Amino acid sequence: MKRCVLVIALALAMPAFAQSTPPAQPAEPAGGTSCHAEEAALERDMDLARSRGQMLRRRQLAETLAALRTRCQGAEPPQSRAARIDKLEHDIRLLRAELEHAEEQLRELKNQRP
């Protein structure tokens, strides 16, 4: 009788335990599609953080994105010179927009009355 109760209790507890344990992520993404999806999600989060003025959060996401790109480089074929140039130009445009936004916030803060 005690054994039956113990088995039932364990059976009921196992689904709850399985739900509370986060799934293990693979060290390397399975393929380029996964890398692209994660990269796109991080870029969206960075844009959102920038639009909300969360520069620290944006910087943290940028570091995570850089680590993701480094990790995924082995899974993807090397980019052409033109693609690397396009990517760097895109990154520069994003950084300039972020700088302009931060400068605008600084101007507004300086123009406010104490």
Side-chain angles (χ1 to χ4, degrees):
M1 179 71 174
K2 285 184 179 182
R3 188 174 191 199
C4 183
V5 171
L6 180 62
V7 169
I8 292 172
L10 285 175
L12 293 174
M14 289 304 286
F17 178 76
Q19 289 175 356
S20 66
T21 306
Q25 291 185 351
E28 296 274 336
T33 306
S34 172
C35 287
H36 289 298
E38 288 181 51
E39 186 174 335
L42 283 170
E43 287 175 349
R44 280 191 306 271
D45 290 345
M46 285 172 57
D47 289 340
L48 182 62
R50 183 176 36 257
S51 70
R52 292 182 177 172
Q54 300 171 334
M55 294 303 137
L56 178 61
R57 171 87 173 125
R58 188 233 157 272
R59 203 171 309 125
Q60 291 169 339
L61 290 168
E63 290 170 2
T64 303
L65 180 61
L68 174 70
R69 286 178 176 160
T70 300
R71 190 175 74 227
C72 291
Q73 260 182 345
E76 297 178 3
Q79 291 181 334
S80 69
R81 181 175 183 271
R84 288 193 315 258
I85 289 171
D86 288 342
K87 183 198 168 307
L88 288 173
E89 288 175 343
H90 175 72
D91 290 347
I92 289 169
R93 283 191 300 274
L94 288 175
L95 289 170
R96 284 185 179 147
E98 181 182 341
L99 178 61
E100 288 173 9
H101 181 71
E103 287 174 339
E104 179 182 330
Q105 287 181 330
L106 178 61
R107 279 191 301 274
E108 289 175 2
L109 188 59
K110 283 183 175 182
N111 291 332
Q112 287 180 352
R113 294 186 183 234

